[in-house]
Amino acid sequence: MILIVGGAGYIGSHANKLLTQKGFETVVYDNLSRGHRDFVKWGDFCEGDLLNMQQIRSCFESYRVEAVMHFSAFCLVEESVQQPEKYYLNNVMGTLNLLQIMREFGVKHFIFSSTCATYGFPEKIPISEDHPQLPINPYGQTKLIIEQVLKDYDRAYGLKYINLRYFNAAGADPEGEIGERHHPETHLLPLVISAAMGLKPEIKIFGTDYPTRDGTCIRDYIHVIDLADAHIQALQYLVNQNQSDSFNLGNGTGHSVREVIETVRKIGKRDFKVVETGRREGDPPVLISSSRKAMETLKWKPQYEDLETIIETAWNWHKKRLSL
Ligand code: UDP
Protein backbone atom coordinates (compact mmCIF):
# COMPACT_ATOMS: atom_id res chain seq x y z
CA MET A 1 0.00 0.00 0.00
CA ILE A 2 1.34 3.44 -1.01
CA LEU A 3 0.51 6.32 1.32
CA ILE A 4 -0.03 9.55 -0.65
CA VAL A 5 0.27 12.47 1.73
CA GLY A 6 -1.41 15.46 0.10
CA GLY A 7 -3.19 13.20 -2.38
CA ALA A 8 -6.21 15.53 -2.53
CA GLY A 9 -4.07 18.27 -4.07
CA TYR A 10 -3.04 19.05 -7.63
CA ILE A 11 0.02 16.85 -8.17
CA GLY A 12 -0.84 14.24 -5.50
CA SER A 13 -4.24 13.49 -7.03
CA HIS A 14 -2.67 12.89 -10.45
CA ALA A 15 -0.11 10.56 -8.85
CA ASN A 16 -2.95 8.71 -7.12
CA LYS A 17 -4.76 8.18 -10.41
CA LEU A 18 -1.64 6.95 -12.21
CA LEU A 19 -0.59 4.65 -9.36
CA THR A 20 -4.06 3.10 -9.33
CA GLN A 21 -4.01 2.67 -13.11
CA LYS A 22 -0.68 0.85 -12.76
CA GLY A 23 -2.13 -1.56 -10.19
CA PHE A 24 -0.83 -0.07 -6.92
CA GLU A 25 -3.06 0.13 -3.86
CA THR A 26 -3.19 3.63 -2.41
CA VAL A 27 -4.38 5.53 0.63
CA VAL A 28 -4.53 9.33 0.67
CA TYR A 29 -3.74 11.34 3.80
CA ASP A 30 -4.87 14.96 3.58
CA ASN A 31 -6.31 17.64 5.89
CA LEU A 32 -8.23 19.20 2.97
CA SER A 33 -6.93 22.65 3.86
CA ARG A 34 -5.85 23.19 0.25
CA GLY A 35 -6.84 19.86 -1.30
CA HIS A 36 -10.29 18.75 -2.42
CA ARG A 37 -12.28 15.74 -1.20
CA ASP A 38 -13.67 15.23 -4.71
CA PHE A 39 -10.09 14.78 -6.05
CA VAL A 40 -9.73 11.60 -3.96
CA LYS A 41 -11.38 9.38 -6.56
CA TRP A 42 -9.05 6.40 -6.17
CA GLY A 43 -7.95 4.29 -3.21
CA ASP A 44 -8.80 4.93 0.44
CA PHE A 45 -8.85 8.18 2.34
CA CYS A 46 -7.64 9.19 5.83
CA GLU A 47 -8.55 12.75 6.74
CA GLY A 48 -5.85 14.07 9.03
CA ASP A 49 -3.29 16.75 9.71
CA LEU A 50 0.48 16.34 9.76
CA LEU A 51 0.64 18.43 12.92
CA ASN A 52 -1.46 15.78 14.71
CA MET A 53 0.71 12.74 15.50
CA GLN A 54 -2.24 10.64 16.65
CA GLN A 55 -4.05 11.15 13.34
CA ILE A 56 -0.96 10.10 11.37
CA ARG A 57 -0.40 7.11 13.65
CA SER A 58 -3.98 5.98 13.33
CA CYS A 59 -3.68 5.99 9.53
CA PHE A 60 -0.53 3.83 9.75
CA GLU A 61 -2.38 1.51 12.15
CA SER A 62 -5.22 1.07 9.67
CA TYR A 63 -3.11 0.42 6.55
CA ARG A 64 0.01 -1.61 5.85
CA VAL A 65 2.04 1.25 4.39
CA GLU A 66 5.08 0.15 2.35
CA ALA A 67 6.17 3.51 0.93
CA VAL A 68 5.22 7.17 1.34
CA MET A 69 4.91 9.86 -1.32
CA HIS A 70 4.80 13.27 0.32
CA PHE A 71 3.12 16.04 -1.70
CA SER A 72 1.57 17.95 1.16
CA ALA A 73 3.06 21.42 1.58
CA PHE A 74 2.26 25.09 1.32
CA CYS A 75 3.93 26.22 -1.88
CA LEU A 76 3.39 29.94 -2.47
CA VAL A 77 6.58 31.98 -2.45
CA GLU A 78 4.96 35.31 -1.60
CA GLU A 79 2.85 33.87 1.21
CA SER A 80 5.96 32.18 2.63
CA VAL A 81 7.72 35.55 2.83
CA GLN A 82 4.75 37.13 4.61
CA GLN A 83 3.89 34.18 6.89
CA PRO A 84 7.07 32.14 7.37
CA GLU A 85 5.86 30.50 10.59
CA LYS A 86 3.00 28.86 8.71
CA TYR A 87 5.55 27.39 6.27
CA TYR A 88 8.03 26.16 8.88
CA LEU A 89 5.21 24.54 10.89
CA ASN A 90 3.45 22.85 8.01
CA ASN A 91 6.34 22.01 5.70
CA VAL A 92 9.08 21.28 8.23
CA MET A 93 7.40 20.21 11.45
CA GLY A 94 4.63 18.33 9.62
CA THR A 95 7.21 16.37 7.63
CA LEU A 96 9.28 15.61 10.75
CA ASN A 97 6.12 14.17 12.36
CA LEU A 98 5.45 12.04 9.31
CA LEU A 99 9.04 10.74 9.28
CA GLN A 100 8.80 9.92 12.99
CA ILE A 101 5.67 7.81 12.48
CA MET A 102 7.29 6.11 9.47
CA ARG A 103 10.15 5.14 11.77
CA GLU A 104 7.74 3.82 14.39
CA PHE A 105 6.19 1.57 11.76
CA GLY A 106 9.46 0.61 10.04
CA VAL A 107 8.57 2.26 6.69
CA LYS A 108 11.82 2.95 4.82
CA HIS A 109 10.89 4.34 1.41
CA PHE A 110 10.04 8.01 0.98
CA ILE A 111 9.47 10.13 -2.13
CA PHE A 112 9.63 13.82 -1.42
CA SER A 113 8.19 16.68 -3.52
CA SER A 114 11.04 19.14 -3.59
CA THR A 115 11.45 22.12 -5.87
CA CYS A 116 13.74 24.15 -8.09
CA ALA A 117 13.15 26.92 -5.49
CA THR A 118 15.86 25.19 -3.40
CA TYR A 119 18.43 26.47 -5.92
CA GLY A 120 17.60 30.17 -5.50
CA PHE A 121 18.94 32.48 -8.22
CA PRO A 122 20.50 30.26 -10.88
CA GLU A 123 24.19 30.67 -11.59
CA LYS A 124 23.97 28.54 -14.67
CA ILE A 125 21.19 27.45 -17.07
CA PRO A 126 20.07 24.70 -17.44
CA ILE A 127 20.12 23.83 -13.75
CA SER A 128 21.45 20.41 -12.85
CA GLU A 129 21.25 18.66 -9.48
CA ASP A 130 24.76 19.69 -8.42
CA HIS A 131 23.90 23.40 -8.69
CA PRO A 132 24.39 25.18 -5.30
CA GLN A 133 21.23 25.15 -3.20
CA LEU A 134 20.80 28.67 -1.81
CA PRO A 135 17.06 29.35 -1.50
CA ILE A 136 15.94 32.97 -1.50
CA ASN A 137 12.59 32.56 0.25
CA PRO A 138 11.13 30.60 3.20
CA TYR A 139 9.27 28.20 0.86
CA GLY A 140 12.50 27.03 -0.80
CA GLN A 141 14.21 27.01 2.58
CA THR A 142 11.60 24.65 4.12
CA LYS A 143 12.09 22.21 1.24
CA LEU A 144 15.88 22.35 1.52
CA ILE A 145 15.71 21.75 5.29
CA ILE A 146 13.78 18.52 4.65
CA GLU A 147 16.31 17.45 2.00
CA GLN A 148 19.01 17.86 4.67
CA VAL A 149 16.95 16.01 7.29
CA LEU A 150 16.50 13.12 4.87
CA LYS A 151 20.25 12.84 4.29
CA ASP A 152 20.83 12.54 8.06
CA TYR A 153 17.94 10.07 8.55
CA ASP A 154 19.35 7.88 5.79
CA ARG A 155 22.73 7.77 7.51
CA ALA A 156 21.32 7.20 11.00
CA TYR A 157 18.15 5.16 10.37
CA GLY A 158 18.56 3.70 6.88
CA LEU A 159 15.61 5.68 5.45
CA LYS A 160 15.83 5.62 1.64
CA TYR A 161 14.42 8.62 -0.16
CA ILE A 162 14.18 10.33 -3.51
CA ASN A 163 13.94 14.12 -3.72
CA LEU A 164 12.07 15.16 -6.86
CA ARG A 165 12.78 18.81 -7.60
CA TYR A 166 9.90 20.03 -9.74
CA PHE A 167 10.10 22.96 -12.10
CA ASN A 168 6.71 24.52 -13.10
CA ALA A 169 3.92 21.94 -12.87
CA ALA A 170 1.22 22.55 -15.48
CA GLY A 171 -1.64 20.86 -17.34
CA ALA A 172 -4.32 18.44 -16.21
CA ASP A 173 -5.48 14.86 -16.46
CA PRO A 174 -6.24 14.41 -20.19
CA GLU A 175 -9.42 12.52 -19.23
CA GLY A 176 -10.58 15.63 -17.36
CA GLU A 177 -11.29 13.95 -14.02
CA ILE A 178 -8.91 16.16 -12.02
CA GLY A 179 -6.92 19.34 -12.65
CA GLU A 180 -5.43 22.43 -11.11
CA ARG A 181 -7.75 24.13 -8.62
CA HIS A 182 -6.15 26.40 -6.03
CA HIS A 183 -7.85 28.88 -3.67
CA PRO A 184 -6.62 31.50 -4.03
CA GLU A 185 -5.07 30.94 -7.46
CA THR A 186 -1.70 32.60 -7.98
CA HIS A 187 -0.19 30.50 -10.79
CA LEU A 188 0.24 31.89 -14.26
CA LEU A 189 -1.43 29.28 -16.46
CA PRO A 190 -4.77 28.86 -14.58
CA LEU A 191 -4.98 32.67 -14.24
CA VAL A 192 -4.45 33.21 -17.97
CA ILE A 193 -7.07 30.57 -18.73
CA SER A 194 -9.51 32.27 -16.34
CA ALA A 195 -8.94 35.59 -18.11
CA ALA A 196 -9.48 33.93 -21.50
CA MET A 197 -12.70 32.31 -20.25
CA GLY A 198 -13.95 35.69 -19.01
CA LEU A 199 -13.80 34.74 -15.32
CA LYS A 200 -11.16 37.37 -14.58
CA PRO A 201 -11.06 40.86 -16.08
CA GLU A 202 -7.37 40.65 -17.06
CA ILE A 203 -4.02 38.92 -16.66
CA LYS A 204 -1.13 40.83 -15.18
CA ILE A 205 2.42 40.30 -16.41
CA PHE A 206 4.81 40.65 -13.48
CA GLY A 207 7.81 42.36 -15.04
CA THR A 208 8.64 43.15 -18.66
CA ASP A 209 12.22 44.33 -18.13
CA TYR A 210 13.95 41.02 -17.47
CA PRO A 211 17.06 40.17 -19.51
CA THR A 212 15.15 37.61 -21.59
CA ARG A 213 14.09 37.42 -25.27
CA ASP A 214 10.84 39.34 -24.69
CA GLY A 215 11.51 40.91 -21.28
CA THR A 216 9.28 38.48 -19.32
CA CYS A 217 10.29 35.57 -17.06
CA ILE A 218 11.10 32.22 -18.60
CA ARG A 219 10.00 28.99 -16.94
CA ASP A 220 10.20 25.27 -17.66
CA TYR A 221 6.61 23.92 -17.73
CA ILE A 222 6.29 20.22 -17.01
CA HIS A 223 3.05 18.28 -17.33
CA VAL A 224 1.52 17.02 -14.10
CA ILE A 225 1.15 13.51 -15.56
CA ASP A 226 4.88 13.45 -16.34
CA LEU A 227 5.55 14.45 -12.73
CA ALA A 228 3.23 11.68 -11.52
CA ASP A 229 5.02 9.21 -13.77
CA ALA A 230 8.41 10.22 -12.33
CA HIS A 231 7.11 9.27 -8.86
CA ILE A 232 6.37 5.76 -10.05
CA GLN A 233 9.81 5.44 -11.64
CA ALA A 234 11.35 6.78 -8.42
CA LEU A 235 9.43 4.24 -6.37
CA GLN A 236 10.63 1.41 -8.58
CA TYR A 237 14.18 2.72 -8.30
CA LEU A 238 13.96 2.77 -4.49
CA VAL A 239 12.58 -0.76 -4.38
CA ASN A 240 15.22 -2.11 -6.82
CA GLN A 241 18.31 -0.10 -5.82
CA ASN A 242 17.53 0.83 -2.20
CA GLN A 243 19.54 4.00 -2.73
CA SER A 244 18.70 7.63 -1.97
CA ASP A 245 19.08 10.33 -4.62
CA SER A 246 17.75 13.65 -5.99
CA PHE A 247 16.40 14.43 -9.46
CA ASN A 248 15.25 17.52 -11.33
CA LEU A 249 11.99 17.23 -13.24
CA GLY A 250 11.42 19.59 -16.14
CA ASN A 251 11.19 19.52 -19.92
CA GLY A 252 14.47 21.35 -20.45
CA THR A 253 12.74 24.03 -22.53
CA GLY A 254 11.89 27.55 -21.42
CA HIS A 255 8.76 29.55 -22.24
CA SER A 256 8.22 33.20 -21.41
CA VAL A 257 5.13 34.63 -19.70
CA ARG A 258 4.16 36.28 -23.00
CA GLU A 259 4.49 32.94 -24.84
CA VAL A 260 2.18 31.26 -22.32
CA ILE A 261 -0.37 34.06 -22.80
CA GLU A 262 -0.15 33.83 -26.61
CA THR A 263 -0.55 30.05 -26.56
CA VAL A 264 -3.70 30.33 -24.41
CA ARG A 265 -5.05 32.96 -26.81
CA LYS A 266 -4.45 30.60 -29.73
CA ILE A 267 -6.01 27.56 -28.04
CA GLY A 268 -8.99 29.44 -26.60
CA LYS A 269 -9.49 31.54 -29.76
CA ARG A 270 -10.44 34.43 -27.46
CA ASP A 271 -8.95 37.80 -26.77
CA PHE A 272 -8.52 39.19 -23.27
CA LYS A 273 -6.88 42.07 -21.49
CA VAL A 274 -3.18 41.86 -20.63
CA VAL A 275 -1.75 44.41 -18.17
CA GLU A 276 2.00 44.91 -17.80
CA THR A 277 3.00 45.59 -14.19
CA GLY A 278 6.17 45.57 -12.09
CA ARG A 279 8.22 42.54 -11.09
CA ARG A 280 7.02 40.14 -8.40
CA GLU A 281 9.53 39.89 -5.57
CA GLY A 282 11.81 36.86 -5.64
CA ASP A 283 11.24 35.79 -9.27
CA PRO A 284 14.47 34.75 -11.03
CA PRO A 285 14.47 35.72 -14.75
CA VAL A 286 15.04 32.19 -16.08
CA LEU A 287 14.51 28.71 -14.60
CA ILE A 288 15.20 25.78 -16.91
CA SER A 289 15.92 22.25 -15.80
CA SER A 290 18.48 19.79 -16.92
CA SER A 291 16.59 16.53 -16.31
CA ARG A 292 19.21 14.31 -17.90
CA LYS A 293 19.86 12.53 -14.63
CA ALA A 294 16.19 11.50 -14.20
CA MET A 295 16.10 10.36 -17.82
CA GLU A 296 19.26 8.30 -17.54
CA THR A 297 18.88 6.91 -14.03
CA LEU A 298 15.11 6.60 -13.61
CA LYS A 299 14.47 5.98 -17.34
CA TRP A 300 11.94 8.79 -17.14
CA LYS A 301 10.80 10.46 -20.33
CA PRO A 302 8.24 13.29 -20.41
CA GLN A 303 5.33 12.54 -22.74
CA TYR A 304 4.09 16.14 -22.97
CA GLU A 305 6.99 18.12 -24.38
CA ASP A 306 5.10 20.70 -26.33
CA LEU A 307 3.67 23.76 -24.51
CA GLU A 308 0.55 23.82 -26.66
CA THR A 309 -0.36 20.22 -25.76
CA ILE A 310 0.28 20.89 -22.08
CA ILE A 311 -1.93 23.98 -22.12
CA GLU A 312 -4.64 22.19 -24.10
CA THR A 313 -5.09 19.62 -21.30
CA ALA A 314 -5.44 22.47 -18.77
CA TRP A 315 -7.88 24.33 -21.03
CA ASN A 316 -10.05 21.23 -21.48
CA TRP A 317 -10.21 20.59 -17.74
CA HIS A 318 -11.28 24.16 -16.95
CA LYS A 319 -13.85 24.06 -19.75
CA LYS A 320 -15.31 20.78 -18.51
CA ARG A 321 -15.37 21.99 -14.91
CA LEU A 322 -17.23 25.16 -15.82
CA SER A 323 -19.87 23.39 -17.86
CA LEU A 324 -20.78 21.09 -14.95
N1 UDP B 1 3.24 35.47 -13.42
C1 UDP B 1 2.67 36.61 -14.02
N2 UDP B 1 1.38 36.92 -13.72
C2 UDP B 1 0.62 36.18 -12.84
C3 UDP B 1 1.21 35.04 -12.25
C4 UDP B 1 2.52 34.72 -12.55
O1 UDP B 1 3.33 37.29 -14.80
O2 UDP B 1 -0.54 36.55 -12.61
C5 UDP B 1 4.63 35.10 -13.75
C6 UDP B 1 5.55 34.99 -12.55
O3 UDP B 1 6.13 36.25 -12.25
C7 UDP B 1 6.57 33.96 -13.03
C8 UDP B 1 5.76 33.05 -13.98
O4 UDP B 1 4.60 33.81 -14.32
O5 UDP B 1 7.58 34.57 -13.75
C9 UDP B 1 5.33 31.74 -13.34
O6 UDP B 1 4.73 32.04 -12.09
P1 UDP B 1 3.90 30.97 -11.26
O7 UDP B 1 3.37 31.67 -10.04
O8 UDP B 1 2.92 30.28 -12.14
O9 UDP B 1 4.98 29.87 -10.85
P2 UDP B 1 6.39 29.99 -10.07
O10 UDP B 1 7.42 30.19 -11.16
O11 UDP B 1 6.30 31.12 -9.10
O12 UDP B 1 6.53 28.68 -9.41
Side-chain angles (χ1 to χ4, degrees):
M1 178 74 85
I2 312 297
L3 179 68
I4 309 178
V5 181
Y10 173 41
I11 305 170
S13 61
H14 286 81
N16 188 19
K17 178 168 182 180
L18 197 63
L19 280 162
T20 308
Q21 282 174 335
K22 304 234 172 195
F24 291 93
E25 279 190 295
T26 63
V27 54
V28 166
Y29 186 86
D30 203 297
N31 66 3
L32 301 180
S33 74
R34 303 230 163 149
H36 314 286
R37 181 64 184 90
D38 62 308
F39 276 15
V40 190
K41 295 185 201 290
W42 305 274
D44 282 356
F45 181 52
C46 287
E47 185 169 347
D49 199 292
L50 286 181
L51 295 179
N52 186 322
M53 296 289 269
Q54 201 36 51
Q55 286 176 345
I56 313 174
R57 193 173 284 116
S58 126
C59 183
F60 276 73
E61 278 161 0
S62 307
Y63 297 93
R64 209 173 58 77
V65 176
E66 289 153 294
V68 176
M69 293 188 181
H70 179 30
F71 296 90
S72 155
F74 291 139
C75 63
L76 304 179
V77 167
E78 217 168 13
E79 185 184 60
S80 81
V81 174
Q82 282 149 9
Q83 301 176 60
E85 183 181 64
K86 185 170 167 179
Y87 276 68
Y88 284 100
L89 281 174
N90 189 60
N91 296 6
V92 178
M93 194 180 298
T95 306
L96 291 177
N97 289 343
L98 173 63
L99 293 170
Q100 185 178 330
I101 301 290
M102 282 177 65
R103 229 158 76 68
E104 262 178 53
F105 284 81
V107 181
K108 299 261 186 198
H109 288 162
F110 188 68
I111 298 178
F112 179 56
S113 299
S114 190
T115 167
C116 62
T118 59
Y119 296 117
F121 273 101
E123 288 172 5
K124 201 171 121 244
I125 295 289
I127 300 171
S128 51
E129 289 80 357
D130 55 5
H131 187 285
Q133 287 181 288
L134 299 164
I136 51 165
N137 52 60
Y139 165 61
Q141 189 66 47
T142 61
K143 292 286 184 176
L144 181 58
I145 289 171
I146 295 303
E147 287 202 10
Q148 286 161 344
V149 165
L150 292 173
K151 206 191 283 175
D152 292 338
Y153 281 26
D154 181 348
R155 203 177 297 120
Y157 311 131
L159 173 77
K160 297 298 167 194
Y161 63 87
I162 302 282
N163 297 317
L164 295 176
R165 299 182 190 141
Y166 310 158
F167 282 64
N168 285 58
D173 168 29
E175 284 150 19
E177 291 189 277
I178 42 181
E180 187 170 13
R181 197 167 98 209
H182 295 117
H183 298 293
E185 188 54 79
T186 64
H187 293 103
L188 177 66
L189 181 56
L191 286 175
V192 180
I193 292 176
S194 291
M197 290 187 169
L199 302 170
K200 297 242 181 262
E202 62 192 29
I203 181 73
K204 286 195 177 81
I205 300 183
F206 297 144
T208 53
D209 59 349
Y210 284 99
T212 59
R213 53 182 174 259
D214 64 15
T216 66
C217 284
I218 291 182
R219 293 289 178 272
D220 183 339
Y221 294 90
I222 177 76
H223 199 278
V224 65
I225 297 281
D226 286 325
L227 291 181
D229 185 45
H231 285 74
I232 296 178
Q233 312 283 6
L235 179 64
Q236 273 153 0
Y237 180 83
L238 273 185
V239 171
N240 295 334
Q241 309 291 328
N242 204 36
Q243 196 176 304
S244 302
D245 213 334
S246 303
F247 299 96
N248 285 346
L249 298 177
N251 263 313
T253 321
H255 297 284
S256 73
V257 172
R258 286 194 209 277
E259 286 161 6
V260 169
I261 292 173
E262 279 322 303
T263 310
V264 171
R265 218 193 286 275
K266 189 170 150 204
I267 291 168
K269 299 184 189 67
R270 299 176 207 195
D271 208 5
F272 50 92
K273 192 171 163 196
V274 177
V275 177
E276 298 185 358
T277 62
R279 293 183 178 195
R280 187 173 71 177
E281 208 186 323
D283 274 340
V286 181
L287 289 172
I288 298 174
S289 167
S290 161
S291 307
R292 215 169 66 196
K293 187 175 167 193
M295 291 178 186
E296 286 174 5
T297 312
L298 299 179
K299 312 291 173 222
W300 174 71
K301 180 159 183 359
Q303 301 301 308
Y304 296 85
E305 285 169 305
D306 162 57
L307 183 68
E308 200 167 317
T309 320
I310 295 176
I311 295 184
E312 238 159 29
T313 63
W315 178 272
N316 290 340
W317 142 259
H318 285 283
K319 204 168 104 189
K320 184 173 170 195
R321 180 163 75 98
L322 291 167
S323 62
L324 288 177

